[in-house]
């Protein structure tokens, strides 16, 4: 009987240990991700979603987010039936996607970023000396009307005063952009340029596109091969290769500065007329919509978005406080920068097609 009692006691003890282990595991799992969400995003947000701090913050809210990158306009040609959300870099391609996939409005817009032109100090000083820009420390304002006039007349760097001794400043003066047919930043560049070239008029139809098409074609054709994404273009600039003037997102510059990584003699030029990039979530499932709304509402995720250079919607103070050490580079209040409306996606598509062909 004592042997039987001992065996029973041993079984009960083992069962207790197993129960304790299972309970311990369940306790450790509290707060970990329970939903896997798949999305296709613009490349400029890849570092944000890959950030371990962002992964942890999302997991705390019950999400594991898996992403793939694509040009914002190229998302229209993707099969998105296996995705929970698409996350292009502005509202125009987002609205086009929402129409195509019958997604209800409004769409979540958690953060935004203005477009800027990054330059080395030598090229920025030449622009300033020729009335194309105004400088203030490590940042400045690019005068779009003057720049477009120079582009219209095929001005070269050598024709500008102040280029002597700068062997890197040769050839036609132009701003390097991404492909406007597939990438958001390139398309927004045309939207702003066409507004200025059209006398302060937003292109609304074929006749408006026709009026500015020759100049838009010149702005794009002079570049030759274009990078497929702003991320690739910015990495080239940081590594010291490529064109002297490159159009990127302010968020990319702010993130670089936040990480204490800089570019020797970096100058950030804000076009005086531009179109902001409203990063807009297109929810393809309810889980995708919940995630999009969470990105804009959760304080921890908003703080992390600022660390990656994005401006959260609705509260400029967050961005201003976080970027206070970098005010010599960043125009925090966007003083002197005019935000213009963007043409409809159909008009912008036609403008990009005409500029490329």
């Amino acid at each position: 009987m004592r042997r039987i009692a001992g065996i029973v006691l041993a079984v009960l003890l083992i069962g207790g240990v197993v129960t304790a282990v299972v309970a311990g595991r369940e306790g450790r799992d509290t707060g970990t991700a329970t939903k896997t969400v798949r999305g296709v995003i613009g490349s400029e947000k890849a570092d944000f979603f890959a950030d371990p701090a962002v992964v942890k913050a999302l997991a705390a809210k019950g999400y594991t987010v898996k992403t793939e990158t694509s040009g914002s306009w190229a998302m229209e040609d993707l099969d998105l039936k296996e995705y929970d959300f698409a996350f292009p870099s502005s509202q125009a391609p987002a609205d086009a996607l929402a129409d195509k996939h019958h997604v209800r409005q409004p769409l979540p817009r958690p953060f935004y970023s203005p477009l800027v032109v990054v330059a080395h100090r030598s090229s920025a000083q030449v622009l300033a000396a020729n009335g194309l820009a105004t400088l203030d420390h490590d940042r400045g304002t690019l005068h779009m009307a003057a720049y477009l006039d120079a582009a219209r007349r095929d001005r070269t760097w050598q024709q500008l005063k102040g280029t002597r001794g700068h062997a890197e400043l040769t050839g036609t003066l132009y701003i390097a952009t991404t492909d406007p047919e597939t990438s958001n930043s390139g398309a927004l560049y045309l939207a702003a340029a066409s507004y200025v070239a059209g006398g302060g008029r937003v292109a609304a139809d074929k006749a408006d596109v026709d009026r500015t098409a020759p100049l838009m074609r010149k702005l794009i054709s002079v570049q030759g091969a274009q990078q497929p994404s702003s991320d690739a273009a910015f990495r080239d600039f940081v590594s010291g290769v490529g064109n002297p003037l490159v159009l990127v997102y302010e968020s990319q510059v702010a993130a670089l500065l936040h990480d204490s990584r800089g570019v020797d003699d970096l100058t950030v030029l804000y076009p005086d007329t531009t179109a902001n990039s409203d990063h807009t979530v297109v929810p393809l499932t309810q889980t995708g919509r919940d995630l999009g709304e969470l990105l804009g509402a959760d304080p921890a995720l908003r703080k992390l978005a600022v660390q990656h250079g994005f401006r959260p919607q609705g509260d400029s103070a967050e961005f201003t406080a976080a970027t206070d050490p970098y005010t010599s580079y960043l125009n925090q209040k966007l003083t002197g920068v005019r935000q213009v409306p963007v043409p409809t996606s159909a008009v912008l598509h036609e403008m990009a097609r005409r500029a490329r062909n």
Side-chain angles (χ1 to χ4, degrees):
M1 289 297 293
R2 283 196 297 271
R3 178 179 296 176
I4 293 172
I7 292 172
V8 171
L9 180 61
V11 170
L12 290 174
L13 287 172
I14 292 171
V17 170
V18 170
T19 301
V21 169
V22 170
R25 285 176 179 170
E26 290 177 349
R28 287 196 300 271
D29 285 345
T30 300
T32 58
T34 57
K35 299 177 184 176
T36 297
V37 189
R38 292 191 63 203
V40 56
I41 63 173
S43 63
E44 70 291 328
K45 294 182 285 287
D47 287 345
F48 172 76
F49 281 103
D51 184 341
V54 174
V55 173
K56 183 178 179 180
L58 288 169
K61 295 295 182 179
Y63 295 96
T64 294
V65 181
K66 296 184 177 181
T67 62
E68 300 171 28
T69 60
S70 167
S72 293
W73 286 106
M75 292 179 189
E76 281 194 69
D77 298 324
L78 298 179
D79 182 357
L80 299 177
K81 64 182 178 182
E82 300 298 324
Y83 292 92
D84 295 288
F85 70 97
F87 202 172
S89 302
S90 73
Q91 192 168 353
D95 285 342
L97 282 170
D99 288 344
K100 179 178 180 179
H101 295 277
H102 309 291
V103 176
R104 66 178 172 86
Q105 297 279 358
L107 306 177
R109 292 186 295 146
F111 40 73
Y112 70 99
S113 183
L115 289 167
V116 298
V117 175
V118 288
H120 294 287
R121 186 166 295 112
S122 58
S123 51
Q125 288 174 337
V126 169
L127 293 180
N130 289 270
L132 301 176
T134 302
L135 301 184
D136 180 12
H137 299 292
D138 299 308
R139 71 169 190 258
T141 300
L142 177 71
H143 304 311
M144 283 293 287
Y147 165 70
L148 292 178
D149 183 60
R152 191 179 288 109
R153 293 188 289 150
D154 299 314
R155 296 293 295 275
T156 65
W157 284 102
Q158 295 95 319
Q159 291 173 331
L160 302 181
K161 61 183 179 182
T163 56
R164 182 173 297 179
H166 297 290
E168 74 279 9
L169 299 180
T170 61
T172 304
L173 170 69
Y174 68 88
I175 297 170
T177 72
T178 55
D179 183 346
E181 285 196 288
T182 60
S183 175
N184 176 68
S185 58
L188 289 184
Y189 172 67
L190 292 183
S194 67
Y195 180 90
V196 176
R201 176 187 174 92
V202 180
D205 52 32
K206 183 178 180 299
D208 291 337
V209 173
D210 288 343
R211 275 192 289 272
T212 61
L215 178 58
M216 298 304 103
R217 187 178 303 113
K218 183 171 290 190
L219 294 176
I220 299 303
S221 63
V222 71
Q223 299 183 43
Q226 294 175 288
Q227 289 284 14
S229 71
S230 61
D231 182 60
F234 188 57
R235 290 181 189 277
D236 278 354
F237 176 82
V238 171
S239 65
V241 300
N243 194 62
L245 305 173
V246 182
L247 186 80
V248 300
Y249 294 107
E250 178 196 58
S251 59
Q252 294 168 301
V253 178
L256 188 79
L257 296 171
H258 181 271
D259 292 341
S260 299
R261 295 180 295 125
V263 178
D264 288 342
D265 71 5
L266 169 68
T267 303
V268 185
L269 301 175
Y270 287 75
D272 59 13
T273 305
T274 189
N276 279 350
S277 176
D278 286 305
H279 295 269
T280 305
V281 177
V282 182
L284 303 169
T285 66
Q286 184 57 48
T287 303
R289 182 172 290 276
D290 292 342
L291 174 66
E293 292 173 351
L294 180 69
L295 290 172
D298 182 72
L301 288 167
R302 285 173 66 93
K303 182 177 180 180
L304 288 166
V306 170
Q307 291 178 8
H308 282 268
F310 299 108
R311 295 175 179 247
Q313 297 283 3
D315 189 354
S316 61
E318 291 176 273
F319 182 84
T320 300
T323 57
D324 187 64
Y326 321 120
T327 53
S328 69
Y329 293 96
L330 303 178
N331 184 349
Q332 292 179 309
K333 296 182 179 180
L334 299 178
T335 304
V337 176
R338 182 178 186 181
Q339 163 73 19
V340 301
V342 177
T344 65
S345 59
V347 171
L348 203 52
H349 263 310
E350 178 63 13
M351 189 181 296
R353 186 190 68 80
R354 294 280 298 277
R356 287 282 294 168
N357 299 292

